[in-house]
Amino acid sequence: MYKPVIGLEVHAQLSTKTKLFCSCSTEHENLPPNTNVCPICMGFPGVLPVVNKKAVEYAIKAGLALNCEISNYSKFDRKNYFYPDLPKGYQISQYDLPLCRNGYIDLYVDGEIKRVRIKRIHLEEDAGKLLHIGSGDRLSESDYSLVDFNRAGIPLIEIVTEPDINSPKEARLFLQELRLILRYLGISSGDMEKGSLRCDANISIQTEEGKFGTRTEIKNVNSFFSLEKALEYEIERQIEILKRGEEVIQETRHWDEKKQKTVSLRSKEEAEDYRYFPEPDLPPLMVTEEMKNKLKSEIPELPAKRRERYLALELSPVDVEILVSDKDLSDFFDKALRIYGNAKNLHSWLSVEILSYLNENKLEFKDLDIDPEKFVKLIEMVDKNEITRPVAKEVLRKYLTQKEDPLVIIEKEGLRVVADTSYLQDIIKNVISNNSKAVEDWKKGKKQVINFLVGQVMKETRGRASLDVVKNLLEEELNKL
């Protein structure tokens, strides 16, 4: 019996306006290369870095939200290594005195709580970016490479877990929950496809006798799906090696998306390889209790608490997860709930009508300009039978696309429920005379055909008639034939 032992190292880009040690903008996408750079982030001799206060505050918020101890005293260090997109030849990071330690995240895995401990969170600057020019986007496929330093110096937090994760699924759930928390805090976009959240996974196999195996590291996995697939592959690879009586080599590996396998990159570096030493140009970070308390007061309700609150409203776990997974959607739900007490009905409208609209138009909830009071008013009109649900759906779509007040649309287009039975009876008679085959089917006992005829009546009334009323009137007319 083999047991996977997994630890994650996650780099999250902080959403500050300027870089970690200079005033250069953190904008780097779709910009001409090497335009948001200065002597400090380019590592010119004689320059002096100045730490970005907002980045420090964001890192502390992450630590508080992840149940960490916040250090009153921490410092920066130089992590020395050569990399072509690291202009200084070292990275300013934190080594023995990180800003945050000893936290945890509780996950729900198959109905049980799984606690994954956070070993440390520290601040560090990002490197630049290599552009490989050639037949592919990897170094091995390129004719030559170019360097863009726009990203050099952008603030990151590195979140390092203890090796508490025991399956690829747990690793994915951890990373998803971590990203959700960072997004709730508003300190990182967590967009993996843009490189704002990157994950390295350390994995080894524990044997049945309890012996820990040699670990390998999978670098820079950039999607939840890839993380799970890469770990599944690497677990099988290591187990096969052990079954053959061979030793796993300690190394850094890369997840090859095309081949769906991990491949060797280089031998694994240890801390001593980096020759860490204290950064002489930056003073230590001193964090006061007053500062911690202030930042703690700014932390919003986090996903775990929000789940508990929604479950208490008797929403299903699946419905709760839909809401919690998008903070903007969840915030809107809360605002609407304050003026409309039926949580289940409100969730139904959001999950069915709003989310389908977002999916069809490839939008996110934050892209919508929707007023909770107007949205609730529409639902209440359906509840009071003032408009039908099909009409409400049509009006809602127009509201979302045209931004016109739903009430104005309803009144202008005369969309309130049709209560005039004589008017409906005239339409029903026309529908019956124009659909002789359906009528013959009804006479032969095919009662389900009435749904077709109801649909024809609803089409004629633009969905304004009550379904129950139409069905009853139709049956009366058909039974007379």
Side-chain angles (χ1 to χ4, degrees), residues 397-412:
R397 294 252 165 171
K398 287 184 178 178
Y399 170 46
L400 296 176
T401 53
Q402 301 169 8
K403 312 302 178 194
E404 193 171 9
D405 190 318
L407 282 179
V408 173
I409 296 172
I410 291 167
E411 299 305 333
K412 187 171 66 177

PDB file of all heavy atoms in Angstrom, residues 397-412:
ATOM      1  N   ARG A 397     -33.707  39.642 -19.430  1.00  0.00           N
ATOM      2  CA  ARG A 397     -32.681  39.645 -20.496  1.00  0.00           C
ATOM      3  C   ARG A 397     -32.549  41.045 -21.106  1.00  0.00           C
ATOM      4  O   ARG A 397     -31.445  41.517 -21.372  1.00  0.00           O
ATOM      5  CB  ARG A 397     -33.068  38.649 -21.580  1.00  0.00           C
ATOM      6  CG  ARG A 397     -33.042  37.209 -21.086  1.00  0.00           C
ATOM      7  CD  ARG A 397     -31.892  36.489 -21.665  1.00  0.00           C
ATOM      8  NE  ARG A 397     -31.636  35.235 -20.967  1.00  0.00           N
ATOM      9  CZ  ARG A 397     -30.783  34.335 -21.402  1.00  0.00           C
ATOM     10  NH1 ARG A 397     -30.144  34.562 -22.536  1.00  0.00           N
ATOM     11  NH2 ARG A 397     -30.558  33.235 -20.732  1.00  0.00           N
ATOM     12  N   LYS A 398     -33.700  41.679 -21.343  1.00  0.00           N
ATOM     13  CA  LYS A 398     -33.643  43.034 -21.910  1.00  0.00           C
ATOM     14  C   LYS A 398     -32.994  44.008 -20.931  1.00  0.00           C
ATOM     15  O   LYS A 398     -32.236  44.892 -21.321  1.00  0.00           O
ATOM     16  CB  LYS A 398     -35.051  43.510 -22.266  1.00  0.00           C
ATOM     17  CG  LYS A 398     -35.623  42.829 -23.486  1.00  0.00           C
ATOM     18  CD  LYS A 398     -36.984  43.399 -23.845  1.00  0.00           C
ATOM     19  CE  LYS A 398     -37.511  42.723 -25.116  1.00  0.00           C
ATOM     20  NZ  LYS A 398     -38.859  43.218 -25.481  1.00  0.00           N
ATOM     21  N   TYR A 399     -33.306  43.824 -19.664  1.00  0.00           N
ATOM     22  CA  TYR A 399     -32.717  44.686 -18.627  1.00  0.00           C
ATOM     23  C   TYR A 399     -31.193  44.535 -18.610  1.00  0.00           C
ATOM     24  O   TYR A 399     -30.453  45.515 -18.550  1.00  0.00           O
ATOM     25  CB  TYR A 399     -33.324  44.326 -17.281  1.00  0.00           C
ATOM     26  CG  TYR A 399     -32.668  44.960 -16.073  1.00  0.00           C
ATOM     27  CD1 TYR A 399     -32.348  46.311 -16.055  1.00  0.00           C
ATOM     28  CD2 TYR A 399     -32.394  44.193 -14.936  1.00  0.00           C
ATOM     29  CE1 TYR A 399     -31.757  46.892 -14.949  1.00  0.00           C
ATOM     30  CE2 TYR A 399     -31.802  44.762 -13.827  1.00  0.00           C
ATOM     31  CZ  TYR A 399     -31.482  46.104 -13.843  1.00  0.00           C
ATOM     32  OH  TYR A 399     -30.883  46.681 -12.749  1.00  0.00           O
ATOM     33  N   LEU A 400     -30.727  43.288 -18.704  1.00  0.00           N
ATOM     34  CA  LEU A 400     -29.287  43.042 -18.647  1.00  0.00           C
ATOM     35  C   LEU A 400     -28.558  43.555 -19.885  1.00  0.00           C
ATOM     36  O   LEU A 400     -27.408  43.984 -19.809  1.00  0.00           O
ATOM     37  CB  LEU A 400     -29.017  41.541 -18.477  1.00  0.00           C
ATOM     38  CG  LEU A 400     -29.510  40.915 -17.168  1.00  0.00           C
ATOM     39  CD1 LEU A 400     -29.279  39.411 -17.163  1.00  0.00           C
ATOM     40  CD2 LEU A 400     -28.815  41.553 -15.972  1.00  0.00           C
ATOM     41  N   THR A 401     -29.233  43.515 -21.020  1.00  0.00           N
ATOM     42  CA  THR A 401     -28.560  43.930 -22.258  1.00  0.00           C
ATOM     43  C   THR A 401     -28.783  45.405 -22.570  1.00  0.00           C
ATOM     44  O   THR A 401     -27.859  46.105 -22.970  1.00  0.00           O
ATOM     45  CB  THR A 401     -29.054  43.085 -23.444  1.00  0.00           C
ATOM     46  OG1 THR A 401     -30.481  43.138 -23.476  1.00  0.00           O
ATOM     47  CG2 THR A 401     -28.605  41.648 -23.313  1.00  0.00           C
ATOM     48  N   GLN A 402     -30.014  45.882 -22.333  1.00  0.00           N
ATOM     49  CA  GLN A 402     -30.334  47.268 -22.708  1.00  0.00           C
ATOM     50  C   GLN A 402     -30.247  48.244 -21.540  1.00  0.00           C
ATOM     51  O   GLN A 402     -30.320  49.443 -21.727  1.00  0.00           O
ATOM     52  CB  GLN A 402     -31.746  47.324 -23.308  1.00  0.00           C
ATOM     53  CG  GLN A 402     -31.915  46.454 -24.538  1.00  0.00           C
ATOM     54  CD  GLN A 402     -33.366  46.312 -24.956  1.00  0.00           C
ATOM     55  OE1 GLN A 402     -34.242  46.976 -24.428  1.00  0.00           O
ATOM     56  NE2 GLN A 402     -33.632  45.420 -25.904  1.00  0.00           N
ATOM     57  N   LYS A 403     -30.139  47.723 -20.329  1.00  0.00           N
ATOM     58  CA  LYS A 403     -30.029  48.528 -19.110  1.00  0.00           C
ATOM     59  C   LYS A 403     -31.273  49.375 -18.841  1.00  0.00           C
ATOM     60  O   LYS A 403     -31.216  50.363 -18.114  1.00  0.00           O
ATOM     61  CB  LYS A 403     -28.797  49.448 -19.142  1.00  0.00           C
ATOM     62  CG  LYS A 403     -27.506  48.764 -19.550  1.00  0.00           C
ATOM     63  CD  LYS A 403     -27.159  47.618 -18.655  1.00  0.00           C
ATOM     64  CE  LYS A 403     -25.880  46.920 -19.100  1.00  0.00           C
ATOM     65  NZ  LYS A 403     -25.722  45.605 -18.429  1.00  0.00           N
ATOM     66  N   GLU A 404     -32.403  48.993 -19.451  1.00  0.00           N
ATOM     67  CA  GLU A 404     -33.626  49.744 -19.224  1.00  0.00           C
ATOM     68  C   GLU A 404     -34.354  49.178 -18.015  1.00  0.00           C
ATOM     69  O   GLU A 404     -34.336  47.964 -17.775  1.00  0.00           O
ATOM     70  CB  GLU A 404     -34.526  49.654 -20.460  1.00  0.00           C
ATOM     71  CG  GLU A 404     -35.671  50.638 -20.438  1.00  0.00           C
ATOM     72  CD  GLU A 404     -36.427  50.689 -21.772  1.00  0.00           C
ATOM     73  OE1 GLU A 404     -36.157  49.841 -22.646  1.00  0.00           O
ATOM     74  OE2 GLU A 404     -37.282  51.564 -21.914  1.00  0.00           O
ATOM     75  N   ASP A 405     -35.006  50.064 -17.235  1.00  0.00           N
ATOM     76  CA  ASP A 405     -35.705  49.645 -16.023  1.00  0.00           C
ATOM     77  C   ASP A 405     -36.735  48.562 -16.356  1.00  0.00           C
ATOM     78  O   ASP A 405     -37.579  48.762 -17.255  1.00  0.00           O
ATOM     79  CB  ASP A 405     -36.409  50.871 -15.409  1.00  0.00           C
ATOM     80  CG  ASP A 405     -36.963  50.572 -14.029  1.00  0.00           C
ATOM     81  OD1 ASP A 405     -37.534  49.471 -13.845  1.00  0.00           O
ATOM     82  OD2 ASP A 405     -36.822  51.424 -13.142  1.00  0.00           O
ATOM     83  N   PRO A 406     -36.744  47.417 -15.666  1.00  0.00           N
ATOM     84  CA  PRO A 406     -37.699  46.343 -15.966  1.00  0.00           C
ATOM     85  C   PRO A 406     -39.159  46.803 -15.922  1.00  0.00           C
ATOM     86  O   PRO A 406     -39.969  46.404 -16.760  1.00  0.00           O
ATOM     87  CB  PRO A 406     -37.426  45.314 -14.868  1.00  0.00           C
ATOM     88  CG  PRO A 406     -36.027  45.555 -14.448  1.00  0.00           C
ATOM     89  CD  PRO A 406     -35.798  47.023 -14.607  1.00  0.00           C
ATOM     90  N   LEU A 407     -39.498  47.650 -14.948  1.00  0.00           N
ATOM     91  CA  LEU A 407     -40.878  48.115 -14.851  1.00  0.00           C
ATOM     92  C   LEU A 407     -41.280  48.931 -16.069  1.00  0.00           C
ATOM     93  O   LEU A 407     -42.406  48.840 -16.564  1.00  0.00           O
ATOM     94  CB  LEU A 407     -41.061  48.952 -13.572  1.00  0.00           C
ATOM     95  CG  LEU A 407     -41.200  48.159 -12.268  1.00  0.00           C
ATOM     96  CD1 LEU A 407     -41.343  49.119 -11.097  1.00  0.00           C
ATOM     97  CD2 LEU A 407     -42.391  47.217 -12.338  1.00  0.00           C
ATOM     98  N   VAL A 408     -40.348  49.727 -16.558  1.00  0.00           N
ATOM     99  CA  VAL A 408     -40.614  50.527 -17.753  1.00  0.00           C
ATOM    100  C   VAL A 408     -40.856  49.619 -18.953  1.00  0.00           C
ATOM    101  O   VAL A 408     -41.772  49.838 -19.753  1.00  0.00           O
ATOM    102  CB  VAL A 408     -39.430  51.493 -18.024  1.00  0.00           C
ATOM    103  CG1 VAL A 408     -39.623  52.201 -19.366  1.00  0.00           C
ATOM    104  CG2 VAL A 408     -39.297  52.512 -16.893  1.00  0.00           C
ATOM    105  N   ILE A 409     -40.045  48.567 -19.057  1.00  0.00           N
ATOM    106  CA  ILE A 409     -40.202  47.609 -20.170  1.00  0.00           C
ATOM    107  C   ILE A 409     -41.571  46.953 -20.100  1.00  0.00           C
ATOM    108  O   ILE A 409     -42.286  46.836 -21.103  1.00  0.00           O
ATOM    109  CB  ILE A 409     -39.102  46.519 -20.110  1.00  0.00           C
ATOM    110  CG1 ILE A 409     -37.730  47.156 -20.301  1.00  0.00           C
ATOM    111  CG2 ILE A 409     -39.341  45.453 -21.176  1.00  0.00           C
ATOM    112  CD1 ILE A 409     -36.560  46.183 -20.067  1.00  0.00           C
ATOM    113  N   ILE A 410     -41.967  46.531 -18.898  1.00  0.00           N
ATOM    114  CA  ILE A 410     -43.256  45.836 -18.721  1.00  0.00           C
ATOM    115  C   ILE A 410     -44.428  46.727 -19.111  1.00  0.00           C
ATOM    116  O   ILE A 410     -45.340  46.313 -19.839  1.00  0.00           O
ATOM    117  CB  ILE A 410     -43.400  45.357 -17.254  1.00  0.00           C
ATOM    118  CG1 ILE A 410     -42.402  44.229 -16.979  1.00  0.00           C
ATOM    119  CG2 ILE A 410     -44.825  44.894 -16.962  1.00  0.00           C
ATOM    120  CD1 ILE A 410     -42.242  43.899 -15.511  1.00  0.00           C
ATOM    121  N   GLU A 411     -44.383  47.984 -18.622  1.00  0.00           N
ATOM    122  CA  GLU A 411     -45.505  48.889 -18.909  1.00  0.00           C
ATOM    123  C   GLU A 411     -45.509  49.304 -20.379  1.00  0.00           C
ATOM    124  O   GLU A 411     -46.555  49.365 -21.023  1.00  0.00           O
ATOM    125  CB  GLU A 411     -45.435  50.124 -17.999  1.00  0.00           C
ATOM    126  CG  GLU A 411     -45.518  49.814 -16.513  1.00  0.00           C
ATOM    127  CD  GLU A 411     -46.766  49.002 -16.139  1.00  0.00           C
ATOM    128  OE1 GLU A 411     -47.785  49.087 -16.847  1.00  0.00           O
ATOM    129  OE2 GLU A 411     -46.708  48.255 -15.137  1.00  0.00           O
ATOM    130  N   LYS A 412     -44.321  49.579 -20.904  1.00  0.00           N
ATOM    131  CA  LYS A 412     -44.234  50.055 -22.289  1.00  0.00           C
ATOM    132  C   LYS A 412     -44.705  48.982 -23.267  1.00  0.00           C
ATOM    133  O   LYS A 412     -45.364  49.292 -24.261  1.00  0.00           O
ATOM    134  CB  LYS A 412     -42.776  50.435 -22.585  1.00  0.00           C
ATOM    135  CG  LYS A 412     -42.565  51.106 -23.928  1.00  0.00           C
ATOM    136  CD  LYS A 412     -41.172  51.646 -24.072  1.00  0.00           C
ATOM    137  CE  LYS A 412     -40.155  50.524 -24.108  1.00  0.00           C
ATOM    138  NZ  LYS A 412     -38.779  51.015 -24.314  1.00  0.00           N
TER     139      LYS A 412
END
